[in-house]
């Protein structure tokens, strides 16, 4: 069973600021750091570090993309399905505040240049029951989902960043939907972000999809048909929340692909994303598997610590 992440590769410019810039304000940044990122790249690294053989497909600029491809290769991700385009690679302008929160402006660049023919070529390397992981930072997503579904691949969607395109997707083909509470509220039309209401609504809208709703400091909740689990968040000193969600997605899925149950997958993902939040950067913040294995020292024993409750609905 193989994992294909068909997704974005970005160069992240992270500006440290006292607060997010306001309309009409000119704000000086105290520090600029440049990292390899993109939701796709981050999720590929997390999947690979969780122990799953991972292929990344996507597009970078022919002149500035090598750093991104090399970064993935160094993380043991297969990069032969990454295409080069005659435009700039995607990039993100990220403001990061002292409490580790971020706000992001994206420029799609090469990420938005994928053709149907290229998507067909990528998918021709994968078979029934291989996993396809998608976010919302590349073009051709509806086509990729249709074709992957025809092949019988397992489809995982992280509908981030949320925009109108998500509503055009054949969502009933999605096997795992991993999203945060804001995205969940947008998808269900809820004005409030009451996680249980959003989860129940998503589970009703998508009866054959496993739903994982991440809730930041409140942990995460899982729903599939009438099964519900709740996972706590592990407390850390938050330095940078960039890629925390991507780390969660990669480790959750990696655990599922390696035959772990939902409870263990949620716990592993919570630990991995807590470690990521305690570090700077996107790809750079994602932990190694050995760090996860030793994380009882940081967080305590999983079984003793578990407040994963099976919820009644
Ligand atoms: O999820 C974090 C990522 O979002 C960053 O690495 C940035 O590139 C944007 O895609």
């Amino acid at each position: 069973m193989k994992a294909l992440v068909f997704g974005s590769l970005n160069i992240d410019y992270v500006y440290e600021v006292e607060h997010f810039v306001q309309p009409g304000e000119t704000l000086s940044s105290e520090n600029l750091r440049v990292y390899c990122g993109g939701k796709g790249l981050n999720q590929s690294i997390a999947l690979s570090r969780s122990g799953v053989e991972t292929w990344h497909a996507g597009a970078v600029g022919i002149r500035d993309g090598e750093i991104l491809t090399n970064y993935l290769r160094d993380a043991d991700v297969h990069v032969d399905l990454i295409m080069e385009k005659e435009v700039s690679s995607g990039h993100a302008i990220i403001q990061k505040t002292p409490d580790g929160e971020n706000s992001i402006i994206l420029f799609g660049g090469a990420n938005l240049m994928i053709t149907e023919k290229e998507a067909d070529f990528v998918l021709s390397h994968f078979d029934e029951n291989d996993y396809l992981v998608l976010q919302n930072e590349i073009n051709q997503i509806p086509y990729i989902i249709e074709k992957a579904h025809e092949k019988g691949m397992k489809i995982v969607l992280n509908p981030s960043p949320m925009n109108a395109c998500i509503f055009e997707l054949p969502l009933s083909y999605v096997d795992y939907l991993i999203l945060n509470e804001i995205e969940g509220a947008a998808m269900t039309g809820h004005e409030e972000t009451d996680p249980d209401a959003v989860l129940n609504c998503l589970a009703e809208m998508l009866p054959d999809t496993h739903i994982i709703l991440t809730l930041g400091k409140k942990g995460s909740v899982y729903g599939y048909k009438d099964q519900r689990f709740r996972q706590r968040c592990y407390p850390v000193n938050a330095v940078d929340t960039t890629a925390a969600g991507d780390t969660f997605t990669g480790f959750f899925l990696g655990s599922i692909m390696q035959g772990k149950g939902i409870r263990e997958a949620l716990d592993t993902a919570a630990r991995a994303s807590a470690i990521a939040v305690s570090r700077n950067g996107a790809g750079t913040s994602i932990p190694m598997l050995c760090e996860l294995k030793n994380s009882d020292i940081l967080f305590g024993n999983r079984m003793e610590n578990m407040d994963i409750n099976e919820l009644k609905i």
Side-chain angles (χ1 to χ4, degrees):
M1 186 194 302
K2 300 193 282 195
L4 164 66
V5 178
F6 208 149
S8 57
L9 304 105
N10 292 333
I11 298 170
D12 288 354
Y13 298 91
V14 182
Y15 296 86
E16 286 182 24
V17 290
E18 270 307 312
H19 58 265
F20 295 144
V21 69
Q22 300 297 303
E25 183 182 17
T26 300
L27 187 63
S28 291
S29 164
E30 290 130 38
N31 199 1
L32 166 64
R33 291 195 170 107
V34 182
Y35 298 103
C36 292
K39 293 184 198 306
L41 177 146
N42 301 336
Q43 291 179 22
S44 277
I45 290 176
L47 254 175
S48 173
R49 290 191 178 159
S50 78
V52 167
E53 191 166 14
T54 304
W55 277 255
H56 190 99
V60 294
I62 196 160
R63 280 171 287 279
D64 61 0
E66 205 182 349
I67 184 176
L68 297 165
T69 312
N70 286 343
Y71 198 76
L72 279 173
R73 188 185 289 112
D74 289 348
D76 288 332
V77 175
H78 296 277
V79 295
D80 32 315
L81 296 173
I82 296 177
M83 298 152 267
E84 289 183 326
K85 302 282 178 181
E86 277 292 339
V87 295
S88 309
S89 294
H91 73 254
I93 294 174
I94 303 180
Q95 298 180 60
K96 183 174 85 80
T97 57
D99 57 357
E101 292 300 325
N102 65 47
S103 83
I104 302 180
I105 296 175
L106 275 182
F107 175 75
N111 292 311
L112 304 180
M113 304 287 287
I114 296 158
T115 65
E116 287 187 357
K117 210 168 154 200
E118 288 167 337
D120 287 338
F121 176 74
V122 167
L123 293 174
S124 71
H125 294 77
F126 297 89
D127 296 310
E128 192 176 354
N129 291 326
D130 285 340
Y131 279 68
L132 167 69
V133 186
L134 294 164
Q135 315 76 32
N136 191 25
E137 291 186 341
I138 61 168
N139 65 327
Q140 301 292 0
I141 294 178
Y143 184 80
I144 295 168
I145 292 183
E146 290 284 353
K147 294 293 163 186
H149 176 72
E150 280 171 22
K151 291 182 86 91
M153 291 179 78
K154 300 263 184 225
I155 299 174
V156 181
L157 176 67
N158 169 220
S160 184
M162 172 61 63
N163 59 29
C165 299
I166 295 296
F167 298 96
E168 312 282 306
L169 300 177
L171 293 172
S172 61
Y173 294 166
V174 173
D175 295 284
Y176 291 86
L177 182 72
I178 306 177
L179 70 178
N180 67 30
E181 52 194 322
I182 311 283
E183 291 152 359
M187 280 188 75
T188 54
H190 278 74
E191 282 183 12
E192 293 168 36
T193 52
D194 169 24
D196 293 332
V198 170
L199 184 67
N200 290 340
C201 188
L202 285 167
E204 210 168 288
M205 280 164 63
L206 300 168
D208 297 319
T209 304
H210 300 259
I211 314 281
I212 301 94
L213 195 62
T214 60
L215 310 170
K217 288 179 187 152
K218 288 176 275 145
S220 58
V221 283
Y222 162 90
Y224 180 64
K225 302 200 185 290
D226 54 7
Q227 190 176 41
R228 299 288 183 274
F229 293 125
R230 187 184 299 280
Q231 169 65 47
R232 62 176 286 190
C233 167
Y234 288 99
V236 285
N237 179 29
V239 170
D240 186 350
T241 55
T242 312
D246 301 328
T247 304
F248 186 99
T249 296
F251 275 88
F252 174 81
L253 217 55
S255 302
I256 295 292
M257 288 184 70
Q258 291 171 88
K260 311 288 185 208
I262 295 290
R263 290 166 180 244
E264 190 172 345
L266 288 172
D267 184 78
T268 302
R271 286 166 182 256
S273 57
I275 295 173
V277 162
S278 70
R279 296 174 179 165
N280 274 311
T284 47
S285 68
I286 300 169
M288 300 290 181
L289 190 57
C290 58
E291 295 178 88
L292 262 289
K293 288 189 174 147
N294 293 328
S295 66
D296 282 1
I297 299 164
L298 277 176
F299 301 130
N301 177 275
R302 186 177 89 85
M303 298 312 283
E304 283 168 8
N305 245 294
M306 202 158 64
D307 73 344
I308 308 175
N309 304 314
E310 190 156 357
L311 305 173
K312 294 269 169 284
I313 53 163

